[in-house]
Amino acid sequence: MKKILIVGAGGQIGSELVPHLRSIYGNNNVVAADISAEKCKVLAEAGPFEELNALDGESFSAIVKKYNIDTIFNLVALLSATGEKNPKLAWDINIGALTNSLYIAKDNNCAVFTPSSIGAFGKDTPKDKTPQDTLQRSNTTMYGVCKVTGELLSDYYFNRFGVDTRSVRFPGLISYVTLPGGGTTDYAVEIYYDAIRKGSFTCNVKAGTYMDMMYMPDALNAVVQLMEADPSKLKHRNSFNIASMSFEPEQIAAEIRKHLPDFKMDYQIDPVKQAIADSWPNSMDDTCAREEWGWAPKYDLTSMTNDMLIKVKEKFDKGLIK
């Protein structure tokens, strides 16, 4: 990677991936793009930025040519719960942006990273230690349908046109930098904010609902590590299971109580999010990622909770959030 374009840079992943990549490859070599510069002020002020609707293939292609881009990170997506409110819009955005990314990459000799998700699995997928290669035909969300489609489409562009496509299936991502944006795993971010803000939290998925989760620093490292990996060692491409920790709501609450003993949690179940969570794996088997490109997470639930509570409290103390 020498000249990188990140499309959908203002989202949960992009807002942290852009500065991370700029710290590695240099500010001027990482171009951030999103639909609004106003929405991405920090990114736009720190390095190259372009306003772009990723569904506008002509403008997208012009930016790739302007900066002589060799790697495209397509992070454009409506998330799982949000996508169920408007399935057609979710398909149009999620698949439209990916199709443009792949087509433009083919014509400009670019590599492409686009994230997949645990949402690519469905209710008939093995729930525990979900294998790398397994049933993905029982999906119940448009988000998941888009992720499966994206994996197949990315593999097609690699096999048919030689486009260097690579991807990981992210679990739920937990971060103190950017608030979540409509995903089923959002409770695992919101719980830390409410723990600091008011000492209590109302959880919208049931106790005992296990899902894979990952702290954002591990997710960022995974992206760079995969994109820099020796292609001759990649037996898989789209998409690698990666895992870090699997827990249910009572376990994260218990970790928070080690720091805030009076923390309380109750439940008000969101039936849409619960149904989505029930269709997803409890945990994924990431053996292939570990063997093919050396994936190894650094954070577990204990170390993540310690860091999250420190960082979220700092944001409140500085008046960055209320």
Side-chain angles (χ1 to χ4, degrees):
M1 294 189 289
K2 295 177 181 176
K3 284 284 187 178
I4 300 165
L5 173 64
I6 302 180
V7 183
Q12 184 189 21
I13 298 174
S15 60
E16 296 189 56
L17 183 61
V18 171
H20 184 66
L21 293 179
R22 284 174 173 170
S23 73
I24 297 170
Y25 300 100
N27 268 18
N28 292 332
N29 295 322
V30 180
V31 182
D34 209 303
I35 202 156
S36 167
E38 184 64 27
K39 168 188 167 186
C40 305
K41 263 187 170 180
V42 174
L43 300 181
E45 290 170 357
F49 182 89
E50 295 282 344
E51 286 195 342
L52 173 66
N53 180 342
L55 304 186
D56 180 352
E58 188 174 332
S59 297
F60 194 159
S61 181
I63 291 170
V64 168
K65 289 179 168 66
K66 175 181 176 180
Y67 291 95
N68 196 27
I69 296 298
D70 61 46
T71 307
I72 298 169
F73 286 79
N74 169 46
L75 306 182
V76 177
L78 287 188
L79 299 184
S80 54
T82 302
E84 288 310 285
K85 296 174 183 176
N86 193 334
K88 182 181 184 303
L89 181 64
W91 173 269
D92 290 345
I93 290 175
N94 295 6
I95 298 303
L98 175 59
T99 301
N100 278 345
S101 297
L102 292 168
Y103 183 79
I104 290 164
K106 175 179 74 73
D107 285 351
N108 293 274
N109 195 30
C110 299
V112 177
F113 175 89
T114 192
S116 189
S117 163
I118 56 173
F121 298 119
K123 58 185 176 62
D124 294 331
T125 302
K127 297 285 284 184
D128 297 304
K129 301 296 286 182
T130 304
Q132 172 69 39
D133 302 306
T134 188
L135 181 67
Q136 291 179 263
R137 286 293 300 271
S138 54
N139 224 290
T140 57
T141 67
M142 181 54 73
Y143 176 76
V145 169
C146 290
K147 289 305 182 186
V148 175
T149 303
E151 292 184 12
L152 292 170
L153 196 57
S154 296
D155 273 341
Y156 173 80
Y157 267 78
F158 170 69
N159 291 315
R160 177 72 173 81
F161 302 113
V163 178
D164 185 359
T165 56
R166 307 185 190 193
S167 178
V168 296
R169 292 178 182 132
F170 278 129
L173 296 180
I174 298 174
S175 169
Y176 60 86
V177 175
T178 306
L179 292 173
T184 301
T185 57
D186 287 357
Y187 90 86
V189 179
E190 294 162 352
I191 191 171
Y192 291 108
Y193 282 85
D194 278 4
I196 296 295
R197 181 187 288 116
K198 56 186 182 181
S200 63
F201 178 66
T202 299
C203 187
N204 55 27
V205 296
K206 295 176 184 176
T209 304
Y210 282 85
M211 287 184 279
D212 260 314
M213 304 281 184
M214 183 174 292
Y215 200 26
M216 187 64 82
D218 276 335
L220 301 179
N221 288 335
V223 170
V224 175
Q225 192 176 2
L226 173 58
M227 293 306 288
E228 293 288 7
D230 180 350
S232 69
K233 295 182 179 179
L234 300 181
K235 298 175 185 176
H236 297 84
R237 281 180 171 268
N238 303 285
S239 183
F240 283 97
N241 286 358
I242 57 171
S244 174
M245 62 191 93
S246 176
F247 56 78
E248 54 92 19
E250 292 296 331
Q251 289 176 311
I252 191 172
E255 283 296 329
I256 290 172
R257 289 191 192 102
K258 292 178 182 178
H259 303 268
L260 303 170
D262 295 330
F263 174 72
K264 294 179 174 59
M265 183 171 71
D266 59 11
Y267 292 87
Q268 186 173 330
I269 308 307
D270 180 327
V272 173
K273 289 189 175 182
Q274 186 63 50
I276 294 171
D278 289 343
S279 75
W280 286 356
N282 296 333
S283 61
M284 291 189 290
D285 182 348
D286 60 0
T287 302
C288 291
R290 291 173 183 267
E291 291 178 348
E292 292 177 39
W293 48 276
W295 158 245
K298 295 179 180 178
Y299 286 90
D300 58 13
L301 177 57
T302 298
S303 56
M304 177 186 71
T305 297
N306 181 62
D307 197 53
M308 276 291 289
L309 290 173
I310 291 171
K311 296 299 199 309
V312 171
K313 186 175 186 304
E314 286 176 354
K315 291 179 75 172
F316 276 102
D317 291 345
K318 292 176 180 177
L320 300 175
I321 49 176
K322 296 179 181 180

